[in-house]
Amino acid sequence: MDNGGVSTEPETAPPAPPLPKKRVAVVFVVAAVLWGIDLLTKQIAVSTLEGKQPVEFLGGLVYFQLVRNPGAAFSMATGLTWVLALVAVAVVVAIVWLARRLRSVGWAIGLGLVLAGALGNLTDRIFRAPGPLQGHVVDMISAFAPNGQGWAIFNVADSAICVGGVLIVILSLLGKDYDGSSTKDKKKAASE
């Protein structure tokens, strides 16, 4: 029957764009590389800086010295080393769980950096003196002045956590979600 050229079939929505590839491998490659660098730099620091005065580098912009830190960043919570170790375990488990859902390269890199940092400092807390879950973290970089007088003394793991955290915050502020979608796209689709 002729209906004057008007289609009687229901309109269908255009197909959704395919999801980006999962990025689990990116998380673990970034984490493995940075964890290895952290472990290597800590071993070098222990073998070359033990019992020595801070070594000035880049005209005093950076000093290398060995400090064993029982606390968190900026030497906070020094009496709660075992709690910090358990928090690091929780962070590692959470990132491994979330990694299966990642489809954003930026988020994968950010979480890989945080995972590397958590593993690096957790390794120290488990295997260094004075004992399991109470080990002191090896720090060796003092910016602007020796002995942490210009800035806190830190290590590669601490730097990885900070850079990864900043990257994740920037991605969130830009509306980029861990699953590869954009919150701006979601809002636009919801308003249509």
Side-chain angles (χ1 to χ4, degrees), residues 26-179:
V26 175
V27 173
F28 293 112
V29 167
V30 168
V33 168
L34 267 293
W35 188 18
I37 291 170
D38 180 63
L39 295 174
L40 178 64
T41 56
K42 287 175 179 175
Q43 186 57 42
I44 291 170
V46 168
S47 65
T48 61
L49 298 174
E50 185 84 56
K52 296 189 177 161
Q53 293 296 315
V55 176
E56 184 179 319
F57 187 69
L58 296 174
L61 186 62
V62 175
Y63 290 83
F64 295 111
Q65 68 183 108
L66 183 66
V67 174
R68 296 179 192 273
N69 181 0
F74 309 111
S75 297
M76 295 185 309
T78 55
L80 300 172
T81 303
W82 65 274
V83 173
L84 298 171
L86 294 179
V87 168
V89 169
V91 167
V92 168
V93 169
I95 291 173
V96 169
W97 178 80
L98 183 61
R100 301 174 299 144
R101 295 182 170 89
L102 283 175
R103 294 183 182 276
S104 163
V105 173
W107 271 83
I109 292 169
L111 288 175
L113 289 167
V114 173
L115 179 60
L119 287 170
N121 288 338
L122 181 60
T123 302
D124 284 358
R125 294 195 191 288
I126 292 173
F127 296 107
R128 294 201 187 270
L133 297 181
Q134 296 181 7
H136 295 179
V137 173
V138 172
D139 289 332
M140 79 288 291
I141 304 166
S142 181
F144 311 119
N147 305 312
Q149 294 169 343
W151 186 255
I153 300 175
F154 57 96
N155 58 38
V156 172
D158 298 334
S159 298
I161 290 169
C162 291
V163 171
V166 167
L167 178 57
I168 290 167
V169 168
I170 290 171
L171 290 169
S172 296
L173 291 173
L174 294 174
K176 305 297 181 189
D177 219 343
Y178 70 91
D179 63 359

